[in-house]
């Protein structure tokens, strides 16, 4: 027979630790460090075990931070959007986890690690959140979860039956994930070709064939800078925008030029800006209606609006006008793992305000297509530059000063427009296929939950053992 226990009876609930900003960890260290992003990445790849990390600490450094979470523990996010997504994995080795992660260490005389791991997949941790803005859970919430605990032999039967059924499902999911990976590579190749002048015929080639002249990217950039200088009405002496860092970059196609984000910005105050920091915008300012806020998660997902949207009052938005966002503005994450996700603020959304760790680039209307700038930043050519200026161990960030001087390829305006049309066409196809793949992955996840719910119901009190299903 099985008995109903509280989770705290059969597992120790442990929280992660904070990592000092000045602590340097290397791949040659002994102890892996896992963050929420590592959990999500493993989950998205269909992995149940988390063993390899991009961050390691020496045994001595790890010991100074606290006790490692042992292999076999189930770990998951305890705060943020990742909590709502209910992604969890088992540790494949002893590790440190950061303070946004919570772990369940099974008391093995009562519950097997795999049984606990599969059971936790039936629990919606997001429902335990007490916050309406940033979801979060506490240890006291988790220890009170009820869990059916049959004999260890029956637990092993349940796990064996689940794994038999999931092996077929996992194979189908793996095939879908391979399709997604191929689509990601295809998108990267499209963007790479776009910023290397190989996606459409260059303006230089067309002009030569048609026997005409054209405005080169260099001439366009000079015109942008001259018009900005001529329109300057500020009280201070005019400051030329910073030039791009082009050392070690490859040669551009004929008629193109390297330009910095500051050079292609609108040139108005705060046309290149980050979100407010410190006490300028506090959680207490958040409202359920008003002017919407843009978070890093919105830029990553390209999704604005919906039931989870957070707002500020119109008066607060006016106070934060330096951080305002309008349709067509290019938005970039300045923190993440790694930073550099990019999208345009959509035309069908009202003006908004960016939050901390977001960068806004409002491009000039003098011969620069914001769509091209978005795709350039998303390309490997610029992403590698962003990675090169990323700093931090516990939290990876890019500062605005360094971002202002990265190098963006700038072709003639007519060529920009043709590139955007062609990229849009390719990405439209990719999005359609991705939507179908995601729908099938959701069906697979729903089937997995159905199997888990059914089989764990057989482990409820008075159930002696798993009844095999066919």
């Amino acid at each position: 027979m099985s008995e109903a226990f509280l989770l705290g009876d059969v597992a120790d609930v442990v929280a992660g630790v904070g990592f000092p900003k000045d602590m340097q960890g290397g791949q040659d260290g002994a102890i892996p460090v896992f963050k929420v992003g590592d959990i999500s990445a493993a989950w998205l790849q269909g992995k149940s075990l988390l063993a390899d990390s991009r961050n390691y600490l020496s045994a001595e450094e790890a010991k100074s931070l606290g006790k490692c979470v042992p292999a076999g523990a189930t770990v998951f996010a305890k705060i943020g959007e990742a909590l709502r997504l209910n992604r969890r994995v088992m540790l494949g080795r002893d590790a440190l986890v950061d303070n946004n992660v919570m772990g369940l260490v099974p008391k093995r005389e009562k519950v097997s690690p795999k049984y606990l791991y599969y059971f936790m997949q039936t629990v919606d941790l997001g429902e335990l959140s007490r916050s309406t803005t940033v979801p979060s859970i506490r240890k006291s919430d988790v220890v009170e979860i009820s869990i059916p605990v049959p004999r260890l032999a029956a637990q092993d039967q349940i796990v064996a039956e689940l794994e038999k059924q999931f092996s077929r499902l996992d194979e189908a999911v793996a095939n879908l994930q391979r399709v997604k990976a191929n689509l990601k590579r295809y998108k990267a190749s499209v963007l790479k070709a776009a910023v290397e002048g190989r996606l459409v015929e260059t303006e230089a080639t067309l002009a030569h064939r048609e026997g005409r002249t054209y405005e080169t990217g260099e001439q366009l950039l000079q015109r942008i800078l001259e018009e900005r200088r001529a329109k300057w009405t500020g009280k201070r002496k005019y400051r030329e925008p910073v030039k791009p860092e082009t050392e070690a970059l490859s040669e551009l196609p004929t008629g193109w030029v390297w330009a910095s984000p500051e050079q292609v910005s609108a040139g108005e105050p705060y046309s290149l800006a980050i979100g407010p920091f410190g006490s300028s915008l506090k959680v207490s300012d958040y409202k359920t209606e008003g002017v919407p806020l843009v978070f890093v998660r919105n830029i990553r997902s390209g999704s604005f609006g919906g039931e989870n949207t957070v707002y500020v009052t119109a008066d607060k938005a006016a106070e934060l006008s330096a951080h305002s966002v309008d349709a067509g503005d290019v938005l970039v994450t300045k923190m993440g793992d790694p930073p550099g996700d990019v999208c345009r603020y959509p035309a069908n959304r009202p003006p908004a305000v960016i939050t901390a760790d977001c960068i806004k680039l409002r491009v000039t209307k003098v011969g620069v297509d914001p769509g091209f700038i978005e795709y350039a930043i998303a390309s490997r050519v610029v992403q590698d530059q962003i990675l090169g200026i990323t700093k931090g161990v516990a939290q990876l960030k890019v500062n605005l000063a360094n971002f202002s001087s990265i190098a963006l390829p700038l072709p003639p305006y007519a060529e920009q427009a043709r590139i955007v049309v062609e990229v849009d066409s390719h990405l439209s196809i990719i999005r359609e296929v991705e939507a179908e793949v995601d729908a099938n992955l959701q069906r697979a996840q729903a089937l997995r939950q159905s199997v888990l719910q059914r089989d764990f119901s057989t482990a409820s009190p008075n159930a002696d053992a798993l009844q095999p299903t066919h």
Side-chain angles (χ1 to χ4, degrees), residues 49-51 68-74 90-95 104-106 108 113:
L49 282 180
L50 188 58
C68 287
V69 181
T74 296
M90 286 177 60
L91 290 183
R93 58 187 295 187
D94 294 356
L104 293 176
V105 182
R108 297 188 182 224

Side-chain angles (χ1 to χ4, degrees), residues 228 239-242 260-267 272 361 404-405:
R228 178 178 302 174
R239 182 184 67 83
E240 292 287 348
V242 65
S260 71
E262 194 167 83
Q263 286 178 325
V264 300
S265 72
L272 179 58
L361 171 57
S404 299
S405 60

Side-chain angles (χ1 to χ4, degrees), residues 210-226:
E210 296 168 4
R212 60 175 173 82
T213 60
Y214 71 100
E215 182 183 53
T216 66
E218 184 175 5
Q219 291 167 337
L220 169 59
L221 179 59
Q222 188 61 31
R223 180 160 64 92
I224 291 169
L225 299 177
E226 287 176 356

Side-chain angles (χ1 to χ4, degrees), residues 92-126:
R93 58 187 295 187
D94 294 356
L96 286 170
V97 295
D98 79 5
N99 54 9
N100 291 323
V101 175
M102 188 176 284
L104 293 176
V105 182
K107 298 176 182 178
R108 297 188 182 224
E109 71 279 7
K110 294 183 178 179
V111 66
S112 77
K114 282 191 174 181
Y115 179 86
L116 179 61
Y117 164 68
Y118 283 122
F119 169 76
M120 287 305 297
Q121 292 187 49
T122 70
V123 179
D124 186 351
L125 291 170

Side-chain angles (χ1 to χ4, degrees), residues 9 50 149 164 202 282 294 321 334 360 427 435:
D9 296 329
L50 188 58
V149 185
K164 183 176 75 174
T202 66
K282 299 176 289 188
V294 172
S321 60
K334 78 179 196 70
K360 171 193 69 177
L427 296 192

Side-chain angles (χ1 to χ4, degrees), residues 69-81:
V69 181
T74 296
V75 293
F76 46 86
K78 69 174 187 179
I79 190 170
E81 190 63 23

Side-chain angles (χ1 to χ4, degrees), residues 352-392:
V353 173
I354 55 171
T355 57
D357 301 318
C358 301
I359 298 173
K360 171 193 69 177
L361 171 57
R362 182 169 297 160
V363 304
T364 178
K365 295 180 180 179
V366 183
V368 178
D369 189 319
F372 178 81
I373 298 301
E374 176 197 0
Y375 294 146
I377 293 174
S379 73
R380 195 73 263 159
V381 171
V382 178
Q383 288 291 306
D384 286 345
Q385 296 179 61
I386 293 176
L387 187 61
I389 59 174
T390 297
K391 308 294 182 184

Side-chain angles (χ1 to χ4, degrees), residues 125-358:
L125 291 170
E127 290 187 346
L128 300 179
S129 174
R130 301 168 187 265
S131 172
T132 57
T133 52
V134 180
S136 62
I137 54 173
R138 299 176 297 188
K139 178 179 177 180
S140 58
D141 299 318
V142 177
V143 296
E144 294 295 319
I145 295 172
S146 180
I147 174 174
V149 185
R151 298 187 306 271
L152 288 172
Q155 292 178 35
D156 292 342
Q157 279 185 279
I158 291 172
V159 168
E161 181 65 21
L162 286 171
E163 292 189 338
K164 183 176 75 174
Q165 296 182 57
F166 287 164
S167 64
R168 296 188 292 270
L169 188 59
D170 288 343
E171 184 179 354
V173 168
N175 288 333
L176 291 170
Q177 294 290 3
R178 278 192 287 273
V179 173
K180 288 199 73 169
N182 288 335
L183 289 171
K184 186 176 180 179
R185 284 192 287 270
Y186 175 47
K187 178 181 178 180
S189 68
V190 168
L191 293 173
K192 187 173 187 291
V195 299
E196 291 180 348
R198 296 183 289 106
L199 192 62
V200 300
E201 202 166 14
T202 66
E203 191 68 7
T205 301
L206 282 175
H208 178 74
R209 188 171 67 244
E210 296 168 4
R212 60 175 173 82
T213 60
Y214 71 100
E215 182 183 53
T216 66
E218 184 175 5
Q219 291 167 337
L220 169 59
L221 179 59
Q222 188 61 31
R223 180 160 64 92
I224 291 169
L225 299 177
E226 287 176 356
E227 289 195 21
R228 178 178 302 174
R229 194 181 303 113
K231 291 180 179 179
W232 175 252
T233 58
K235 295 180 181 179
R236 297 180 181 178
K237 182 180 178 182
Y238 179 75
R239 182 184 67 83
E240 292 287 348
V242 65
K243 294 181 180 179
E245 296 286 345
T246 59
E247 187 177 353
L249 292 177
S250 59
E251 188 175 343
L252 288 170
T254 301
W256 291 38
V257 71
W258 292 111
S260 71
E262 194 167 83
Q263 286 178 325
V264 300
S265 72
E268 305 155 354
Y270 308 110
S271 54
L272 179 58
I274 59 174
F277 56 89
S279 60
S280 299
L281 178 62
K282 299 176 289 188
V283 173
S284 58
D285 294 316
Y286 294 176
K287 307 297 178 186
T288 56
E289 60 181 16
V291 178
L293 293 174
V294 172
F295 292 86
V296 165
R297 64 175 181 265
N298 299 121
I299 300 174
R300 288 200 179 115
S301 63
S303 176
F304 301 88
E307 62 180 8
N308 295 323
T309 302
V310 180
Y311 302 82
V312 292
T313 65
D315 287 344
K316 187 64 180 180
E319 180 185 323
L320 299 173
S321 60
H323 315 285
S324 64
V325 178
D326 289 325
D329 286 348
V330 178
L331 305 176
V332 183
T333 61
K334 78 179 196 70
M335 69 158 287
D337 201 7
D341 286 323
V342 58
C343 72
R344 269 172 291 168
Y345 190 66
N348 62 351
R349 297 297 302 161
V353 173
I354 55 171
T355 57
D357 301 318
C358 301

